[in-house]
């Protein structure tokens, strides 16, 4: 076989993806059926796909295309494309654990054509009181914030409802898609390290026509595997904490008529600027951390009943009363009297931590008095080389250097302010603890808006200069102590420590309401 022939055919299809997706997945071209098996309406040629050809002569163009050979070729490609996508999105995968597939003819429906077939004794999304309800949280390790929010929700379910729920956290892309789609976390890390590439990716995929086209093409290859991954958990409720976890799963649920049987919700983990892929009109609930994000959700077409503004979910341990600062400092080996700044660079210890620590070592030492005016607690995460370098320095001020820590609430409770990049989770946690924030970096796109969110609300400052950051801290620990206190109060006012509890209790109410709704009906 000629290799060029083998690779050319799919290329011809994907050349049309950016235009085809607006037809292939736009509900305007289907009837109201949840399965999506209905054909295109007869007048689809007048859709937006052809507006760019010649608006003033649209009807003439459509008429000429309908009788031309090129139109016939185009229509064949279009129909093949949609048939392939419907095949992958709508057929019941063999891995559906809770659905009995009797034959191809009934497409997984009961003999009377109503509802989804079930295994005997096991309801699909169980209403039975004797069995725990199942929660599936979809996330991806593209940054630490998504997993942190997922674990916070899982922990809160356990604390609040015990054995009433079984909660599963899965990285949908890594665990349930084939290569190369399962390389998403690695791709993200690579792109973020090369800022220009990430900017191009983030802003280039923001327009709806672009990311919808991408999801349309991607669904062709991964829908069956994703469906297997979803259904093996037999969830009562699905929670997405990642912007790329809505579209493909919702296509699958809609295609199989499961949207009314499984509660699908989104928990947004960006505080201000967030990618448009976060928003999908078919979700039952969209939990927004701030009013700004809620406005974006509304602009994206979500209804007020779908939007709840509860805050960003953080670990339940941050809600519990913190131990006295003196006690925490003794436990961490810190000076009990000197004011302290927490310096951190995330789980991987990234950013200008060493340069900032050295600058603080100079600014927090009073040469006149010959004594320190403050101290530093440095969190290096998994960066062992950085930890060793800082431990080898002969510091003039008290500095404690830690590696990866699990009790961040205690580290924050021992300090008076924090220096970090503009990660939403760290910002939310610092505000709960009343720590004024100095932001020293941000990721283009999703973290850009976090800087004005902190600065304009009087909760902190922004600077990329280690020397300037050190001078700000020295001022806060000296003549501008009043400013530090005022910012601390602003943080506490803006904090939402009970966000994760509100989210979990609302989710429980959604499942409870679903339990009283008949799961299968035979409406004509």
């Amino acid at each position: 076989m000629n290799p060029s022939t083998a690779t050319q055919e799919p290329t011809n299809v994907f050349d049309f993806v950016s235009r085809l997706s607006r037809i292939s997945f736009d509900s305007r071209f289907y009837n109201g059926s949840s399965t999506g098996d209905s054909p295109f309406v007869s007048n689809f040629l007048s859709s937006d796909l052809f507006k760019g050809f010649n608006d003033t002569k649209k009807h003439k163009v459509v008429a000429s295309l309908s009788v031309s050979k090129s139109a016939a070729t185009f229509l064949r490609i279009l129909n093949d494309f949609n048939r392939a996508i419907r095949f992958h999105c709508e057929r019941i995968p063999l891995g559906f654990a809770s659905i009995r597939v009797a034959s191809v003819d009934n497409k997984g429906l009961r003999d009377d054509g109503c509802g989804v077939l079930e295994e005997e004794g096991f309801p699909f999304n169980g209403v039975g009181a004797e069995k725990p309800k199942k929660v599936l949280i979809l996330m991806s390790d593209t940054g630490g914030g998504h997993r942190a929010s997922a674990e916070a929700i899982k922990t809160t379910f356990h604390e609040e409802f015990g054995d009433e729920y079984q909660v599963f956290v899965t990285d949908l892309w890594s665990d349930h898609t084939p290569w190369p789609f399962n390389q998403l976390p690695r791709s993200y890390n690579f792109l973020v390290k090369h800022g220009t590439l990430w900017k191009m990716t983030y802003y280039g995929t923001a327009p709806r026509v672009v990311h919808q086209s991408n999801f349309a093409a991607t669904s062709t290859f991964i829908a069956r595997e994703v469906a297997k991954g979803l259904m093996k958990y037999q969830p009562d409720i699905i929670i997405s904490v990642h912007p790329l976890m809505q579209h493909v799963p919702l296509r699958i649920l809609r295609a199989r008529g499961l949207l009314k049987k499984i509660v699908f919700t989104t928990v947004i983990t960006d505080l201000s600027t967030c990618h448009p892929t976060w928003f999908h009109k078919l979700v039952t609930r969209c939990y927004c951390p701030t009013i700004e994000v809620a406005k974006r959700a509304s602009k994206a077409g979500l209804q007020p009943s779908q939007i709840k503004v509860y805050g960003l979910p953080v670990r339940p341990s941050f809600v519990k009363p913190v131990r006295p600062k003196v006690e925490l400092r003794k436990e961490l080996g810190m000076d009990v009297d000197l004011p302290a700044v927490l310096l951190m660079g995330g789980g991987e210890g990234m950013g200008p931590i060493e340069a900032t620590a050295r600058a603080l070592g100079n600014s927090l030492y009073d040469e006149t008095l010959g004594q320190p005016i403050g101290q530093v607690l440095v969190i290096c995460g998994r960066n062992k080389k950085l930890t060793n370098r800082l431990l080898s320095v002969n510091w003039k001020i008290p500095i404690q250097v830690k590696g990866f820590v699990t009790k961040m609430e205690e580290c924050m409770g021992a300090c008076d302010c924090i220096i970090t990049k503009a990660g939403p989770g760290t910002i939310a946690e610092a505000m709960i603890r009343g720590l004024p924030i100095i932001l020293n970096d941000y990721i283009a796109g999703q973290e850009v808006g976090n800087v004005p969110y902190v600065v304009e609300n009087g909760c902190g400052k922004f600077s990329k200069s280690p020397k300037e950051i050190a001078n700000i801290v020295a001022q806060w620990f000296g003549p501008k102590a009043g400013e530090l206190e005022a910012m601390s109060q602003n943080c506490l006012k803006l904090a939402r420590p009970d966000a994760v509890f509100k989210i979990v209790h609302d989710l429980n109410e959604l499942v409870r309401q679903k339990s009283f709704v008949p799961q299968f009906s035979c409406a004509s």
Side-chain angles (χ1 to χ4, degrees):
M1 179 181 293
N2 190 333
S4 63
T5 304
T7 59
Q8 186 62 36
E9 183 175 343
T11 304
N12 291 335
V13 176
F14 287 104
D15 286 342
F16 291 99
V17 163
S18 63
R19 292 186 177 182
L20 294 184
S21 64
R22 279 188 288 178
I23 289 179
S24 59
F25 287 102
D26 195 328
S27 60
R28 292 176 299 175
F29 299 96
Y30 296 92
N31 63 17
S33 170
S34 60
T35 63
D37 288 332
S38 59
F40 287 107
V41 295
S42 59
N43 63 342
F44 73 93
L45 282 176
S46 62
S47 71
D48 292 342
L49 179 65
F50 298 95
K51 287 183 178 179
F53 291 166
N54 192 334
D55 289 339
T56 60
K57 298 181 180 180
K58 179 172 61 177
H59 298 294
K60 292 182 180 180
V61 171
V62 172
S64 63
L65 282 174
S66 64
V67 296
S68 66
K69 182 177 179 181
S70 60
T73 303
F74 178 81
L75 291 178
R76 185 169 62 254
I77 294 173
L78 184 65
N79 289 330
D80 289 345
F81 181 81
N82 283 282
R83 190 180 303 113
I85 292 177
R86 287 201 300 272
F87 174 82
H88 286 279
C89 289
E90 296 172 8
R91 287 194 61 181
I92 298 176
L94 299 177
F96 268 38
S98 59
I99 300 177
R100 183 175 72 250
V101 183
S103 68
V104 177
D105 294 335
N106 63 14
K107 295 184 180 179
L109 298 178
R110 297 190 325 213
D111 293 335
D112 57 5
C114 301
V116 181
L117 291 174
E118 304 170 348
E119 290 183 354
E120 294 181 2
F122 194 94
F124 177 71
N125 69 341
V127 183
E130 73 280 0
K131 297 190 176 184
K133 300 175 180 66
K134 295 183 179 181
V135 179
L136 178 60
I137 304 177
L138 307 179
M139 51 73 63
S140 182
D141 283 315
T142 52
H146 303 294
R147 181 173 290 278
S149 292
E151 294 295 338
I153 294 171
K154 179 179 180 179
T155 301
T156 306
F157 263 111
H158 178 71
E159 290 186 3
E160 295 295 293
F161 299 105
D163 295 335
E164 292 183 39
Y165 286 93
Q166 288 183 328
V167 184
F168 307 94
V169 178
T170 184
D171 187 330
L172 190 64
W173 290 89
S174 294
D175 300 338
H176 301 294
T177 63
W179 187 91
F181 305 100
N182 58 6
Q183 301 299 306
L184 177 65
R186 289 186 180 183
S187 300
Y188 173 82
N189 294 333
F190 173 80
L191 291 171
V192 168
K193 289 179 181 178
H194 301 79
T196 302
L197 292 178
W198 174 244
K199 287 182 181 179
M200 293 172 59
T201 303
Y202 184 92
Y203 294 109
T205 58
R208 187 175 182 181
V209 63
V210 176
H211 64 250
Q212 282 190 341
S213 300
N214 290 338
F215 284 124
T218 301
S219 296
T220 307
F221 301 99
I222 70 173
R224 286 174 63 81
E225 293 301 320
V226 170
K228 291 178 185 179
L230 292 177
M231 292 306 107
K232 80 173 185 180
Y233 296 101
Q234 302 166 350
D236 294 275
I237 184 167
I238 298 175
I239 306 168
S240 168
V241 295
H242 193 280
L244 300 184
M245 299 296 169
Q246 279 76 240
H247 296 259
V248 175
L250 280 168
R251 290 182 193 278
I252 295 169
L253 296 181
R254 178 174 59 179
R256 296 316 317 158
L258 298 177
L259 281 177
K260 293 184 178 180
K261 303 173 180 66
I262 300 177
V263 177
F264 195 106
T265 64
T266 299
V267 178
I268 298 178
T269 59
D270 290 325
L271 289 174
S272 180
T273 46
C274 49
H275 201 272
T277 50
W278 272 113
F279 308 113
H280 200 293
K281 295 179 183 179
L282 293 181
V283 298
T284 307
R285 235 7 144 247
C286 179
Y287 297 103
C288 301
T290 62
I291 297 296
E292 173 63 26
V293 174
K295 290 179 180 178
R296 292 175 181 269
S298 180
K299 189 176 180 180
L302 275 70
Q303 300 301 312
S305 61
Q306 295 174 287
I307 302 171
K308 296 289 184 181
V309 184
Y310 288 150
L312 188 76
V314 299
R315 286 164 283 195
S317 56
F318 272 86
V319 182
K320 299 176 181 178
V322 64
R323 288 188 289 160
K325 187 169 290 187
V326 172
E327 183 179 332
L328 291 173
R329 288 181 175 178
K330 285 182 179 179
E331 191 171 294
L332 292 169
M334 301 171 64
D335 188 288
V336 296
D337 297 318
L338 288 174
V341 55
L342 176 61
L343 173 61
M344 56 185 294
E348 304 304 321
M350 304 299 290
I353 294 180
E354 184 174 1
T356 305
R358 291 183 180 276
L360 288 167
N362 294 325
S363 68
L364 296 183
Y365 185 80
D366 191 321
E367 296 288 352
T368 303
L369 299 176
Q371 62 185 24
I373 61 172
Q375 60 184 323
V376 185
L377 175 59
V378 187
I379 307 297
C380 299
R382 301 179 185 86
N383 195 333
K384 294 182 179 181
K385 291 183 179 180
L386 175 63
T387 303
N388 293 332
R389 286 201 304 270
L390 293 180
L391 287 173
S392 65
V393 176
N394 185 22
W395 301 97
K396 294 186 293 183
I397 65 172
I399 289 187
Q400 286 296 320
V401 181
K402 307 291 183 182
F404 187 84
V405 299
T406 56
K407 295 183 178 181
M408 185 56 66
E409 66 276 7
E410 295 186 355
C411 294
M412 289 189 178
C415 296
D416 301 285
C417 61
I418 183 172
I419 303 169
T420 180
K421 80 176 189 68
T426 304
I427 291 174
E429 292 172 348
M431 288 181 173
I432 292 173
R433 284 289 173 257
L435 293 185
I437 308 163
I438 301 177
L439 300 175
N440 60 3
D441 201 3
Y442 59 86
I443 296 176
Q446 68 268 31
E447 290 183 359
V448 170
N450 296 348
V451 175
Y453 178 77
V454 169
V455 175
E456 293 175 6
N457 283 292
C459 297
K461 296 187 177 183
F462 171 76
S463 175
K464 287 190 174 184
S465 167
K467 186 175 181 180
E468 183 179 353
I469 290 171
N471 289 334
I472 292 172
V473 175
Q475 290 291 310
W476 281 354
F477 290 174
K480 292 188 177 180
E483 181 179 88
L484 182 68
E485 177 61 27
M487 287 187 173
S488 177
Q489 293 302 314
N490 291 337
C491 287
L492 292 172
K493 291 177 182 177
L494 205 60
R496 294 177 179 262
D498 56 350
V500 69
F501 293 95
K502 288 184 175 181
I503 290 171
V504 166
H505 279 275
D506 190 61
L507 291 169
N508 175 67
E509 181 64 20
L510 290 175
V511 175
R512 191 186 68 83
Q513 292 173 3
K514 190 74 66 174
S515 298
F516 289 103
V517 177
Q519 293 297 300
F520 307 109
S521 63
C522 294
S524 58

